[in-house]
Amino acid sequence: MATIVSPLAPKFYPDMPEIEGVRFSTAEAGVKYRGRTDVVLASLDAGTTVAGVFTQSKCPSAPVDWCKAILKNGTARGLLVNSGNANAFTGKKGSTAVELSAKIAAKSLGCNVNEVFLASTGVIGEPLDAGKFEAVIDDLAAAVQPASWREAAEAIMTTDTYPKIATATVEFDGKAVTFNGIAKGAGMIAPDMATMLSFIFTDAAISPKVLQSLLSGETGESFNSVTVDSDTSTSDTVLLFATGAAEKRGVAKLDDLDDPRLGTVRAALGDMMQNLAQQIVRDGEGARKFVEVQVEGAESDISAKKIALSIGNSPLVKTAVAGEDANWGRVVMAVGKAGEPADRDKLAIWFGDIRVAVDGERDPEYGEELAAAVMKEEDIVIRVDLGLGSGQACIWTCDLTKEYIAINGDYRS
Amino acid sequence: MATIVSPLAPKFYPDMPEIEGVRFSTAEAGVKYRGRTDVVLASLDAGTTVAGVFTQSKCPSAPVDWCKAILKNGTARGLLVNSGNANAFTGKKGSTAVELSAKIAAKSLGCNVNEVFLASTGVIGEPLDAGKFEAVIDDLAAAVQPASWREAAEAIMTTDTYPKIATATVEFDGKAVTFNGIAKGAGMIAPDMATMLSFIFTDAAISPKVLQSLLSGETGESFNSVTVDSDTSTSDTVLLFATGAAEKRGVAKLDDLDDPRLGTVRAALGDMMQNLAQQIVRDGEGARKFVEVQVEGAESDISAKKIALSIGNSPLVKTAVAGEDANWGRVVMAVGKAGEPADRDKLAIWFGDIRVAVDGERDPEYGEELAAAVMKEEDIVIRVDLGLGSGQACIWTCDLTKEYIAINGDYRS
């Protein structure tokens, strides 16, 4: 937990309503950090369903393997998350540690081992001592209560400079159901210190199949549309839990992919996930600028997204933003290197509302001072029109500053 | 041209023998810089053949378009290169400028327009004034002489901190033939200021088809195996010219791809190109460490190279090297994100000779102090054995330092 909060942090935190069927507690287990909470337990009422999406890494952490394996059951009663140790690349010791962690939590929650989801974030390659959880688990289980969203978000922070929380309410059948989420992540990944984790909870009753469709469907334009440094964690995990408590209040279960109510849910959940994902970028290591990259006119949406990520991951684009320079030449470079269909002579580029290039050359109307004001802003939009088709995409990134190097290169010195 | 030379610069420069049929001159054309040379003219004797490889960018510069178009003729009489302006993303003005530049040079050299090769490096998006060349071309043509290799390399520098030259001699039929090369580049690319260019010359007589086979064949393990920042230039150009002068000395022309002498040529040319490519990395913007990434045990050579580049391009691996930290967890991460076949539990990783991880976890014999000495070196080898097959690759990169951010982000301030 850094002491200086990112200048891009949200200016206020939302009030998080309680979600019936979800209770939290946190503790100082001393996994690595001292003087701060580093473990969170969520207790979930019987009947809770679950969906998940995970890192695409070919070298996933032991908790990712664990969650993928038990996800097929579709039900959950507990979630145990720690910071300070990622339990990644820990071999046989890693799988032993997750089994023991789940057993400890299951015993204290009175549920089956394969109903306990796990996530870990922190140092990679160090064996995780599940005994640390054993020492605090009974106190954790005794202390769970429904209002601890911010405390839960704080316990999972690593290089994060602020906790990430968001909430959304949807009206169904004249009654409100709620989605609350927490997240962490400060590099897209820094396996020694960071990783993207998010846990979302709702009191709606949603079948596992529909829940997975909702989560997978909304991940693309949220957590999979942000980048800090192009590096992918061994541990990225997003879990969505539905306690079903709203069913008792007369909100019918969502168990059909053709249910007309799903459109409203997708929109609300998608906005909330995008909000959490953007909060991660706003806490990007060393970030001083938040950048939205809009690509349109591509041959397809997939092609547009590849080009947008090529721009958003380019060290030269990101250092130019840090230097408050509307360096559209580097945007051209990043479009060109993406390997996707592009016609140099049809390209147009904007910084904010200022068109800097058109028809493959500098906009004749453009003067550097026009974009200078845009580049001084905290939030910057880079827009590219490829002029080829109707494919479009939007991703979010941050600038690349010396502070990123300091966080990731100087920490041992 | 920076005033502080990279600490990784070669400790001495080779003596460059003359190559019959190649003569150079340089001038201060004032394209952008003041008080330094910024244009080089090479005059090539009649009968010179040529081969080329170019950027894969979908937004190539006007000179790249020009060279690709005339390369099919297979012959060359001149080469005109400038620094300070890339003539990239300059629309119709760009193609007009290359046509005029070629015309000016052809007139002064007494050759056809389509025998003049062009390359430009520097600012992107600014129209290039070919009139700058017109003002100096007659003096350039009058001043060409065979010994100006280093001066030529200096005239094409941008953010480079030292000129890059290399030479190789091969014995054919009891007689020596020579390959001399010059190069520039200090980011893999920074379109505002850098780009990778290399021009190689030999007195051997080599048919265009064989020459292209030689150049294309040796590019993979040289210029296409280095990265500074993962960004690809609009202007990368490597040209190989063969004057054929050695034929007069009794060295038979190479015009058959089955010629047994080709093995010797490939080896010598490949080594020289690798040398030049490594010199570019050693001059990587802000570089303080030179890193060789060796990947073995992959399913194929292509897969090995993708994994090696994933490691070599990772900002987190590169910042760890800058911090002299043997952070193998970040190497695991970079292997995992490459998307290539990998089995976490078969991975082994070395820094220098120190094995830090084996069988998917920290090597039980490894203590951090062992690798600390390796990380303090200027040249560092990171080796990964995937334990899957016999595919292997080797690439070169540098560390990522605050100086990189300063060069690419602070230059306007």
Side-chain angles (χ1 to χ4, degrees), chain A residues 56-62 65 89-93 124-127 189-193 229-234 285 314-317 319-320 322-323 325 327-330 332-333 335-337 339-340 342 344-345 347 349 357 359-362 368 400-402 404-406 408-412, chain B residues 56-62 65 89-93 124-127 189-193 229-234 285 314-317 319-320 322-323 325 327-330 332-333 335-337 339-340 342 344-345 347 349 357 359-362 368 400-402 404-406 408-412:
Chain A
Q56 296 297 306
S57 174
K58 301 286 179 179
C59 301
S61 67
D65 280 350
F89 212 65
T90 41
K92 179 71 189 144
K93 292 187 197 77
I124 203 170
E126 294 284 337
I189 180 269
D192 229 32
M193 299 181 287
D229 52 17
S230 83
D231 280 343
T232 307
S233 171
T234 54
E285 290 167 341
S314 161
L316 290 167
V317 172
T319 49
D325 174 23
N327 193 320
W328 55 274
R330 297 186 182 179
V332 174
M333 175 282 299
V335 171
K337 81 164 180 169
E340 290 298 307
R344 180 186 61 198
D345 299 332
L347 270 185
I349 299 168
D359 296 335
E361 59 186 306
R362 188 172 57 193
E368 226 167 79
L400 174 58
T401 66
K402 289 177 191 167
Y404 178 89
I405 312 283
N408 289 298
D410 290 354
Y411 58 93
R412 298 252 173 174
Chain B
Q56 297 296 306
S57 173
K58 302 285 180 181
C59 301
S61 67
D65 281 350
F89 212 65
T90 41
K92 180 72 188 141
K93 292 188 196 80
I124 203 170
E126 295 285 336
I189 182 270
D192 231 31
M193 299 181 286
D229 52 16
S230 84
D231 280 343
T232 307
S233 172
T234 54
E285 288 166 342
S314 161
L316 289 167
V317 171
T319 48
D325 175 22
N327 193 319
W328 55 273
R330 296 185 183 181
V332 174
M333 174 283 299
V335 171
K337 82 164 179 169
E340 290 298 307
R344 179 187 61 199
D345 299 332
L347 270 186
I349 299 168
D359 296 335
E361 57 186 307
R362 187 173 58 194
E368 226 167 79
L400 174 58
T401 67
K402 289 177 191 167
Y404 178 89
I405 311 285
N408 288 298
D410 291 354
Y411 58 94
R412 298 255 172 171

Side-chain angles (χ1 to χ4, degrees), chain A residues 20-41:
Chain A
E20 194 179 345
V22 184
R23 287 168 299 159
F24 287 107
S25 57
T26 60
E28 298 184 19
V31 173
K32 181 181 177 213
Y33 310 119
R34 295 287 175 266
R36 57 158 280 190
T37 57
D38 59 358
V39 59
V40 53
L41 177 73

Side-chain angles (χ1 to χ4, degrees), chain B residues 75-353:
Chain B
T75 59
R77 291 296 308 281
L79 169 69
L80 183 70
V81 188
N82 74 277
S83 55
N85 184 312
N87 194 12
F89 212 65
T90 41
K92 180 72 188 141
K93 292 188 196 80
S95 49
T96 305
V98 293
E99 283 158 26
L100 187 55
S101 302
K103 196 171 151 192
I104 291 165
K107 186 176 167 213
S108 114
L109 292 169
C111 67
N112 290 328
V113 166
N114 62 9
E115 293 175 311
V116 177
F117 286 76
L118 301 169
S120 297
T121 175
V123 176
I124 203 170
E126 295 285 336
L128 174 65
D129 176 10
K132 302 270 188 185
F133 305 140
E134 195 154 28
V136 295
I137 197 74
D138 288 337
D139 287 345
L140 276 170
V144 293
Q145 51 102 341
S148 303
W149 296 92
R150 185 156 167 176
E151 290 75 11
E154 281 170 348
I156 61 174
M157 287 165 64
T158 53
T159 54
D160 303 63
T161 72
Y162 58 86
K164 293 152 190 79
I165 55 177
T167 184
T169 301
V170 185
E171 200 175 291
F172 273 175
D173 313 326
K175 299 194 174 69
V177 300
T178 303
F179 288 81
N180 280 0
I182 66 174
K184 65 91 35 185
M188 177 66 171
I189 182 270
D192 231 31
M193 299 181 286
T195 260
M196 179 200 288
L197 299 180
S198 184
F199 309 104
I200 305 166
F201 304 83
T202 178
D203 54 350
I206 309 180
S207 72
K209 182 178 151 193
V210 172
L211 202 64
Q212 188 64 50
S213 160
L214 281 171
L215 183 64
S216 299
E218 299 309 316
T219 300
E221 296 187 6
S222 58
F223 295 111
N224 281 347
S225 285
V226 292
T227 179
V228 168
D229 52 16
S230 84
D231 280 343
T232 307
S233 172
T234 54
S235 309
D236 292 334
T237 298
V238 182
L239 294 168
L240 170 57
F241 301 96
T243 67
E247 206 171 7
K248 290 181 289 183
R249 293 187 282 110
V251 182
K253 185 170 183 171
L254 283 152
D255 61 4
D256 180 352
L257 286 172
D258 294 323
D259 191 316
R261 297 173 299 172
L262 277 179
T264 317
V265 180
R266 284 192 200 282
L269 177 64
D271 283 353
M272 197 198 72
M273 287 167 64
Q274 207 169 78
N275 177 331
L276 286 171
Q278 290 183 1
Q279 285 190 53
I280 290 173
V281 173
R282 287 181 180 281
D283 206 6
E285 288 166 342
R288 295 295 174 265
K289 306 270 188 189
F290 177 78
V291 184
E292 176 166 309
V293 181
Q294 303 172 350
V295 173
E296 59 197 40
E299 286 209 345
S300 68
D301 289 353
I302 290 171
S303 178
K305 189 158 180 182
K306 283 188 186 162
I307 292 169
L309 284 170
S310 178
I311 298 167
N313 279 327
S314 161
L316 289 167
V317 171
K318 291 157 68 80
T319 48
V321 172
E324 301 192 337
D325 175 22
N327 193 319
W328 55 273
R330 296 185 183 181
V331 177
V332 174
M333 174 283 299
V335 171
K337 82 164 179 169
E340 290 298 307
D343 179 340
R344 179 187 61 199
D345 299 332
K346 289 182 177 169
L347 270 186
I349 299 168
W350 290 255
F351 283 85
D353 292 330

